[in-house]
Amino acid sequence: MEAALYGPGGFYVRPGGPGPAGHFRTSVHASALYAGAVARLLGWVDERLGHPDRLDLVDVGAGRGELLAGVLAALEPGTAARVRPYAVERAAAPQGLDPRILWVAEPPRGVTGLLFANEWLDNVPLEIAEDGRYVLVAPDGSESGGGALEGEDLAWLERWWPDPGRAEIGRPRDEAWASAVAGLERGLAVAVDYAHTRAARPPFGTLTGFRAGREVPPVPDGSCDVTAHVALDACAGPGAVLLSQREALTALGVSGGRPPLALARTDPAAYVRALAGAGEAAELTARGGLGDFGWLVQPVGIPAWRP
């Protein structure tokens, strides 16, 4: 999985092409309302920090920098002038990147502000287990049985995925998230992803692939995304809050309610814009879709954010 995604010619690091947005649709690509919601969350963090001279905004798994660009555009100028935006991405920076954005390969240290990771953890490579043994995979995607589980991997499964069957060992995600959060001196860290909790682990796992907008077999040859849902409850540190995206975005002002018909008579253009916005909001908060994504909200040195 590491080689397929991030090795030479890997899915996320090969030059050229459309980037992740050309293969799958995330909340960032679905609507500018998402960046607006993140901007409002950054504003909440800014208030709790006492409006520092430098307000860090770290986007982990930044793709082509779309979320950072959207948040910077949504902020009022005075706040935007204090923001230091970091795009954390293993691929090279795209052409035309906003010069304010610092492009880095690893989450920075000494952060004061908001660290936001939208659909990053599902692409942190992991091992697959089945019936107490590792699953081996060939470059063509065919699988075979490996050695017996042991050590930290076995301990993780016994604690977080105790039912027998096929499982995804989320220990590398826990460690990646803890490392990213460790760089935060004060502020809020948020991970948003396909997720499940201990009480409802999928009995056959979730490993899959995506290419050109379609779900495909997870062949680890660099031709497609290889992804698995995240055990967000295992990642959560002290004081963390787990929410659905529907709960989080509704609290941040993203509403799928239809605009009043009276607006169509008084200002038809505004009505059409409001109607389009309501449709986008409905997609972001839909049951059975993006609205069911998990939000892991981890405070560091400030109170936890809750709806």
Side-chain angles (χ1 to χ4, degrees):
M1 189 171 176
E2 171 71 27
L5 298 180
Y6 306 112
F11 181 78
Y12 280 110
V13 299
R14 58 175 177 253
H23 296 279
F24 46 83
R25 183 176 174 85
T26 73
S27 296
V28 175
H29 309 124
S31 173
L33 295 174
Y34 192 74
V38 175
R40 287 188 286 277
L41 183 59
L42 179 62
W44 183 92
V45 173
D46 189 26
E47 289 182 6
R48 297 308 178 278
L49 293 173
H51 306 288
D53 292 338
R54 190 199 78 225
L55 179 63
D56 295 321
L57 174 59
V58 181
D59 180 11
V60 187
R64 295 295 187 267
E66 300 97 332
L67 179 60
L68 285 175
V71 172
L72 290 171
L75 294 170
E76 64 90 19
T79 302
R82 292 187 292 112
V83 169
R84 182 166 61 177
Y86 292 89
V88 182
E89 184 57 68
R90 292 171 71 170
Q95 296 212 348
L97 183 71
D98 187 320
R100 293 175 291 179
I101 296 174
L102 302 171
W103 198 268
V104 296
E106 300 289 341
R109 307 286 96 179
V111 171
T112 299
L114 175 63
L115 181 145
F116 201 87
N118 184 74
E119 295 195 41
W120 167 53
L121 288 174
D122 65 287
N123 287 128
V124 172
L126 46 58
E127 299 280 2
I128 306 297
E130 191 163 359
D131 298 327
R133 309 188 75 83
Y134 291 102
V135 173
L136 306 182
V137 62
D140 65 0
S142 59
E143 295 182 353
S144 59
L149 292 169
E150 58 185 9
E152 293 180 331
D153 287 344
L154 179 59
W156 188 94
L157 282 181
E158 289 175 341
R159 179 179 181 187
W160 292 109
W161 202 312
D163 294 332
R166 187 176 174 94
E168 292 137 7
I169 304 172
R171 184 174 60 84
R173 277 92 180 271
D174 299 358
E175 294 171 353
W177 180 244
S179 178
V181 174
L184 192 62
E185 289 190 354
R186 289 184 68 218
L188 205 64
V190 179
V192 182
D193 233 309
Y194 310 92
H196 44 66
T197 57
R198 191 179 187 277
R201 301 287 188 226
F204 304 107
T206 62
L207 186 73
T208 191
F210 286 95
R211 183 192 305 116
R214 295 181 180 274
E215 189 170 7
V216 297
V219 178
D221 61 0
S223 68
C224 66
D225 184 23
V226 179
T227 177
H229 294 200
V230 182
L232 275 183
D233 52 342
C235 296
V241 177
L242 289 174
L243 306 165
S244 70
Q245 175 152 297
R246 183 169 47 258
E247 294 173 302
L249 291 186
T250 298
L252 290 169
V254 177
S255 172
R258 292 173 63 91
L261 286 174
L263 183 62
R265 293 190 292 271
T266 59
D267 191 341
Y271 177 78
V272 171
R273 290 194 298 271
L275 195 63
E280 293 174 2
E283 180 183 2
L284 290 172
T285 58
R287 297 182 185 277
L290 293 173
D292 289 343
F293 273 42
W295 279 46
L296 167 58
V297 182
Q298 182 77 54
V300 177
I302 64 172
W305 177 83
R306 299 173 184 267

